Amino acid sequence: MRHRALLLLCLAAMPLLTHCAGDDVAKIVPSDQVTTSTRDAAAAARLISEYRASRGLGPVSADSRLNAAAEHQARAVAEAGKLSHGAFASRMDAYSIAGAAAENLTAGSGDVEGAIGRWKRSAAHDRNLLMKDARRIGLARADSPGHGYRSYWALVLAQ
């Protein structure tokens, strides 16, 4: 039940935060021009844990399966040149991520601190950062030099 409520919250916020489209959005950037990385996941877990602690919540840790799910979406939005959560629930199922989960996307930030700062300043994204049941995160960055926002970030939070 919580998963459904959280998913509905994410879906309700999407029109305000993104241009909605499916996973099959037209690619404007060829795949070979997009690079991805999950190397900032541990730093993101530390920063998010510090933020959560300041609000009386428990820490999160980086998780390789969540990193893979985040990397999938970071690449998809970088190739499309626009933010979209696409088929979030199906993607969580594909990566065997069960229970409460949420996703934050942003574009244009040059570093993990900037991406997290943007999410803190957005009410819907901030609720995800402070999701009570979150214990693990996955973070990925996709870069498409010379195209769109250049840097695209995806964060997946889960139990």
Side-chain angles (χ1 to χ4, degrees):
M1 188 64 161
R2 277 192 227 156
H3 176 68
R4 182 176 290 158
L6 188 55
L7 181 58
L8 290 174
L9 174 66
C10 291
L11 292 173
M14 276 194 296
L16 300 172
L17 303 171
T18 67
H19 298 262
C20 294
D23 278 348
D24 59 347
V25 294
K27 293 181 183 181
I28 63 167
V29 179
S31 295
D32 65 350
Q33 293 182 20
V34 174
T35 59
T36 62
S37 172
T38 60
R39 71 176 169 263
D40 291 315
R46 181 182 47 78
L47 292 167
I48 293 167
S49 292
E50 290 170 2
Y51 180 56
R52 290 171 57 83
S54 75
R55 303 297 194 277
L57 297 169
V60 294
S61 61
D63 178 272
S64 61
R65 193 168 5 138
L66 296 179
N67 280 347
E71 190 169 26
H72 173 109
Q73 196 60 15
R75 174 174 286 284
V77 296
E79 290 175 355
K82 63 182 178 180
L83 299 178
S84 168
H85 292 281
F88 175 73
S90 295
R91 193 169 55 261
M92 295 303 99
D93 288 342
Y95 285 92
S96 300
I97 299 166
E103 180 177 72
N104 286 355
L105 303 175
T106 192
S109 294
D111 57 35
V112 67
E113 293 86 356
I116 292 171
R118 285 181 181 208
W119 292 325
K120 286 180 183 179
R121 291 187 298 274
S122 162
H125 290 110
D126 191 54
R127 278 191 296 275
N128 289 343
L129 292 174
L130 300 174
M131 184 172 76
K132 181 181 157 194
D133 294 333
R135 299 290 178 267
R136 302 172 296 138
I137 64 117
L139 178 94
R141 174 181 173 160
D143 292 309
S144 57
H147 300 283
Y149 294 100
R150 297 195 169 109
S151 295
Y152 297 82
W153 296 83
L155 170 70
V156 177
L157 303 104
Q159 291 178 302

